[in-house]
Amino acid sequence: MALAVTSSSTAISGSSFSRSGASSDPKAVQICSLRLSDRTHVATLSQRRFSMKSQNAESHSRSESWVTRASTLIAPEVEEKEGDVEDFEQLAKKLEDASPLEIMDKALTKFGSEIAIAFSGAEDVALIEYARLTGKPFRVFSLDTGRLNPETYRLFDAVEKQYGIRIEYMFPDAVEVQGLVRNKGLFSFYEDGHQECCRVRKVRPLRRALKGLKAWITGQRKDQSPGTRSEIPIVQVDPVFEGLDGGVGSLVKWNPLANVEGADVWSFLRTMDVPVNALHAQGYVSIGCEPCTRPVLPGQHEREGRWWWEDAKAKECGLHKGNIKEEDGAADLTPAIVQDIFESNNVVSLSRGGIENLLKLGNRKEPWLVVLYAPWCPFCQAMEASYLELAEKLAVKGVKVAKFRADGDQKEFAKQELQLGSFPTILLFPKSASRAIKYPSEHRDVDSVMSFVNLLR
Ligand code: SF4
């Protein structure tokens, strides 16, 4: 369904940016003067169209959500003719073969001081080097989750010195972090999944940062995660976050490295003598928070070093959750009316009474494999295909395969009685033992689960 947005627009007049390197003005984006227009425009979001115009003068008060801009900038003039509406889907196609430098230049030219590079402290430092090479002023922000490695803080410092900039750090809300840690401890993500902690320490600060911008630049690449990043466009209207003007479609996301291979990023960093995170020399590839990042072995995919206790195909912290194909409501990982999953004749759907019976039986006629799931959970969705294939294979071996929806009202029971930690949890009820055995690995591919069943059934 096409969604039409109608709004009155505000044109941004050029030549109105001032150089104010040591500015302490918390309303950094307000340094441009505004010329109000009562023209209206209609943007059809299904066509991924985005207007550069501000929606109204009131929206600029939202820039208060953005922290004091610390980088020293001379912002270029942003020329926009009234009525211009950019089609970013078309632009992405045009830029498909462009170099990262060309893409960066285009992004900075189009958005001036209203765009910023999101820097994680890993090899996305390449973005900063590309920005420098354009010769244009640029802004950089970073999320300080409070759980980063010391090496990452050192890199932030080295980058600030090398490029003569101040990174605009975003911090989580102290009260929210306090609530999470006091209620659930410092490492709740190992038990409950990483989304809750990431939401507090990363996603909400990011949302605040983006509310002060019209566009952002990320270091996402297609080869980083086959499950979630294989279709990243060069540029897109951000499918998840809102920008300065507010509302769906008010933010543009640039991914200049989308088509670049990891090895080529590294050649570039070496050639240009760019400072890099010391953790890379210790085997770390993808780098995030200290408790959720580990080195990978040669041959392992880089994302295997992130949230390794969770499903390999759906590893997004929420910053790029638009990459995960999900039903409405799954974005916040809250239960909603969504289509059920694991639908097959080979998978028995267990009621609460059914699984209680299974628990009570000491001697079962046949072994049972049961997945505890929530249909809105992206990790459950990611393992659906392999679980259905497994069910087909196990049907001929006399193993019953089942599912039990364990969210909502059933969650407490599942936690108490069924060893539910995070979704999905897989249990094997062996033929002759009364206790269910929890599948302990995050590798939920057919072969791994099959050997677990064969060894223990
Ligand atoms: Fe929390 Fe780990 Fe996410 Fe960092 S990566 S915010 S520590 S769950």
Side-chain angles (χ1 to χ4, degrees), residues 194-205 307 317-318:
H194 71 274
Q195 270 85 2
E196 187 178 21
C197 179
C198 278
R199 197 155 46 226
V200 169
R201 292 181 187 268
K202 286 185 171 178
V203 179
R204 287 182 183 148
W307 306 296
C317 55

Side-chain angles (χ1 to χ4, degrees), residues 312-324:
K313 275 198 211 153
K315 292 179 180 179
E316 292 292 351
C317 55
L319 306 194
H320 305 294
K321 61 189 172 188
N323 296 341
I324 299 176

Side-chain angles (χ1 to χ4, degrees), residues 121-123 125 151 155 158-159 266 269-270 274-281:
E123 82 276 19
V125 66
E151 290 85 348
L155 176 64
V159 164
W266 274 100
L269 293 174
R270 273 192 292 269
V274 173
V276 294
N277 197 316
L279 290 173
H280 291 303

Side-chain angles (χ1 to χ4, degrees), residues 28 66-74 104 108 112-134 136-144 152 155-171 206 209-210 212-213 215-219 274:
W66 181 243
V67 291
T68 303
R69 192 175 51 169
S71 308
T72 300
L73 295 171
I74 310 172
M104 179 65 77
L108 295 178
S113 67
E114 290 170 325
I115 190 169
I117 295 168
F119 176 41
S120 73
E123 82 276 19
D124 55 354
V125 66
L127 293 172
I128 301 176
E129 178 64 14
Y130 279 120
R132 180 189 74 81
L133 291 170
T134 66
K136 295 189 165 63
F138 58 90
R139 296 170 64 183
V140 178
F141 74 94
S142 197
L143 308 176
D144 185 347
T152 303
L155 176 64
F156 287 155
D157 185 55
V159 164
E160 287 192 340
K161 290 193 169 102
Q162 170 122 345
Y163 294 96
I165 59 169
R166 283 269 172 251
I167 296 171
E168 301 170 45
Y169 298 105
M170 298 301 294
F171 296 93
L206 176 68
L210 297 178
L213 296 171
W216 62 311
I217 303 169
T218 85
V274 173

